[in-house]
Amino acid sequence: MTREDKTAAVALPTPGTANAMLSDMLWEVSAYVELLGEAELADLPITTASSGMLVTVYAEPGITVAEMARRTPRSQQAISQVVARLEKLGLVERRLRQGRGVGLHLTIEGRTMAEVALERERAVDARLVATLGRKNYDMLRRLLVESCVLLRPEG
């Protein structure tokens, strides 16, 4: 039996199909959700990534880039790049915190943009509920929350 015959005999995981690897399936679903989010924000000067950061700063004024990096699977550098873009847009400003660090705060325009972004994110979520059905949506959400807790590196 040749190597090609052996490979043909084994069902290879194929992205975009039911036998795909979990990582491929998660990436695909994430990409679809990202597309929905980007379409919802298309008329705004922000992306889904910057929208998430605006909402985080809205919820936690004074949060640092380092704190955001510790909570998400994004590097400090990646977060800093998005924050720099938000600063250029006049949506976020950095302020010295008591002790060490520089905290992020929304400007008035940033607060308004965060509220609009949050409203749009909720619209995307409502579309997902409508598409998946409430039961599947809730089940998937629970499973993803549990997975994040289990997979998050000990800090």
Side-chain angles (χ1 to χ4, degrees):
M1 185 179 266
T2 68
R3 183 180 184 150
E4 288 156 359
D5 291 335
K6 288 179 187 174
T7 301
V10 176
L12 294 175
T14 308
T17 68
N19 76 335
M21 300 289 290
L22 179 62
S23 59
D24 291 330
M25 293 165 60
L26 288 170
W27 175 86
E28 188 174 354
V29 169
S30 176
Y32 287 135
V33 173
E34 186 84 12
L35 286 172
L36 289 173
E38 292 297 344
E40 195 65 36
L41 299 173
D43 63 323
L44 301 176
I46 59 173
T47 63
T48 55
S50 54
S51 168
M53 287 192 198
L54 279 177
V55 171
T56 299
V57 176
Y58 186 91
E60 297 182 61
I63 191 169
T64 66
V65 169
E67 288 168 334
M68 290 173 88
R70 278 193 294 276
R71 294 182 191 176
T72 63
R74 290 194 166 85
S75 70
Q76 221 171 316
Q77 181 181 9
I79 292 172
S80 289
Q81 288 174 345
V82 175
V83 168
R85 184 168 181 276
L86 292 172
E87 281 181 297
K88 280 185 180 178
L89 291 171
L91 304 175
V92 170
E93 61 187 16
R94 297 174 198 247
R95 296 184 200 155
L96 289 175
R97 293 179 7 158
Q98 285 185 343
R100 295 179 48 164
V102 176
L104 302 174
H105 296 269
L106 297 179
T107 63
I108 293 168
E109 296 84 5
R111 188 174 183 82
T112 301
M113 186 67 67
E115 290 167 353
V116 170
L118 188 55
E119 183 180 309
R120 305 272 182 100
E121 286 182 34
R122 286 186 175 132
V124 169
D125 231 36
R127 273 185 75 184
L128 291 170
V129 170
T131 302
L132 299 173
R134 173 54 71 181
K135 183 179 176 184
N136 286 335
Y137 173 90
D138 289 342
M139 185 172 42
L140 179 58
R141 197 170 193 301
R142 265 192 312 278
L143 183 58
L144 291 171
V145 167
E146 289 174 25
S147 298
C148 282
V149 169
L150 294 170
L151 295 171
R152 185 175 291 131
E154 298 294 322

